[in-house]
Amino acid sequence: VLFLMAYTCIRFRASRNPNPSKRTHNVAVEILWTLIPCLILIVMAVPSFKILYSQDTIPKADVTIKAVGYQWYWGYEYPDENLIFESYMIEEKDLKADQPRLLAVDNEVVVPVGKVVKVLITANDVIHSWWMPAFAIKQDAIPGFVNTAWTKVDVPGIYRGKCTELCGKNHGFMPIVVKVVEQDEYEEWVEIKKEEAQKLVELTTKEWTTEELVSRGQSVYEVNCVACHQTNGQGITGIFPALVGSDIVLNDKERNIEILMEGVQGAAMNSFSYLSEVEIASVITYTRQSWGNGEKGDGEVVVPKDIVDYKEPKI
């Protein structure tokens, strides 16, 4: 097109053609300038489709990871190793000297160097996006749908990414950290994680008594809740609601769990999903059994398995 424009401007300029042509169209030229670009596009399509197909072809994976987006953190699963854990951003007040603000997490994804890593990407609630620029991966995490990506990292180190889909008010606090290590270090990390998971299973599957949960929940409450709801559960009038006699605390176990896990939009109640399943279950049970609530409510206790079930991806 550029060549034709340049040729026309030079060949048919006003100085050479004082009397311009009155022709309005030329059937042969119009057919040619339609067919030739079509043929060019067809010829280009053949190698292009091959490249597109190659981009979506995932080689045999040495490690498979499933990344699940939540509001607002990432959950990870290693299906072959039967490992599941969550990764939360470390708040600024808890950062160590070598940890960057807004980019450090409590649980890093660990993969071996020089191995093909397949990443299955989905979401539990809204659309997120798993973005790791050093790996050339930017894949949407969509509830009910699993996208795939892969990488092979040849240089050990720490690689950082973010959620790049506007997924809510804490969208900017979902960093991704991948630690690439040698094979023996990776295998050691897997064993440590399995031991941690086994301990968690023992805690979440054991038969908890109400007394055990209340005792454990009291210490959790004193650390995390007394500033707002007070030691007597009366809250602060007009700011933080009382837990004593609360209909949710007394009779709505599901909503009680949801509030602790998700927080309350537009209110000062933040999410406490960073606490362990045992801590969340015990503190809820403590509030349902204390200050006379136990005699007034439905009497149900919340056990760690309830929190595990709540966290299960809804896909």
Side-chain angles (χ1 to χ4, degrees), residues 235-257:
I236 301 175
T237 305
I239 305 175
F240 300 106
L243 302 179
V244 177
S246 164
D247 186 57
I248 292 175
V249 174
L250 293 177
N251 303 304
D252 195 343
K253 184 173 82 171
E254 287 72 19
R255 177 61 179 154
N256 217 166
I257 294 172

Side-chain angles (χ1 to χ4, degrees), residues 33-215:
W33 76 30
T34 301
L35 289 179
I36 292 174
C38 286
L39 292 172
I40 292 173
L41 289 173
I42 291 170
V43 171
M44 290 172 61
V46 175
S48 296
F49 289 156
K50 288 181 178 179
I51 292 173
L52 287 172
Y53 181 79
S54 297
Q55 286 180 318
D56 284 337
T57 301
I58 298 178
K60 188 178 185 303
D62 299 301
V63 177
T64 299
I65 299 171
K66 183 178 180 181
V68 184
Y70 297 86
Q71 289 180 312
W72 288 270
Y73 62 96
W74 289 99
Y76 294 100
E77 301 176 22
Y78 286 64
D80 297 334
E81 305 292 349
N82 197 27
L83 284 181
I84 300 176
F85 62 91
E86 288 143 0
S87 180
Y88 293 89
M89 186 191 76
I90 298 175
E91 295 186 14
E92 189 170 0
K93 62 183 177 63
D94 299 319
L95 287 174
K96 297 178 182 177
D98 60 341
Q99 292 178 322
R101 176 177 173 270
L102 301 180
L103 292 173
V105 298
D106 56 355
N107 279 313
E108 302 164 340
V109 176
V110 178
V111 299
V113 67
K115 302 293 185 179
V116 175
V117 179
K118 179 167 71 172
V119 187
L120 308 174
I121 302 169
T122 187
N124 181 68
D125 34 47
V126 299
I127 298 177
H128 300 272
S129 187
W130 204 83
W131 178 53
M132 182 58 65
F135 300 169
I137 296 176
K138 183 180 181 295
Q139 192 69 268
D140 278 354
I142 303 170
F145 190 83
V146 178
N147 280 318
T148 57
W150 72 279
T151 187
K152 185 175 78 168
V153 188
D154 295 322
V155 180
I158 301 291
Y159 297 85
R160 303 185 188 275
K162 298 279 284 182
C163 172
T164 52
E165 190 70 49
L166 188 57
C167 57
K169 69 182 182 69
N170 289 338
H171 153 70
F173 307 111
M174 289 182 62
I176 301 164
V177 181
V178 178
K179 185 177 182 180
V180 182
V181 299
E182 298 295 340
Q183 181 67 31
D184 56 349
E185 187 176 346
Y186 169 74
E187 292 173 358
E188 181 181 352
W189 174 83
V190 168
E191 290 305 313
I192 292 172
K193 278 293 182 184
K194 284 183 176 180
E195 290 175 7
E196 292 176 356
Q198 182 58 36
K199 290 178 182 178
L200 180 59
V201 168
E202 291 171 0
L203 282 174
T204 54
T205 57
K206 71 167 283 190
E207 293 292 329
W208 289 86
T209 65
T210 302
E211 291 72 22
E212 286 177 315
L213 290 168
V214 169
S215 174

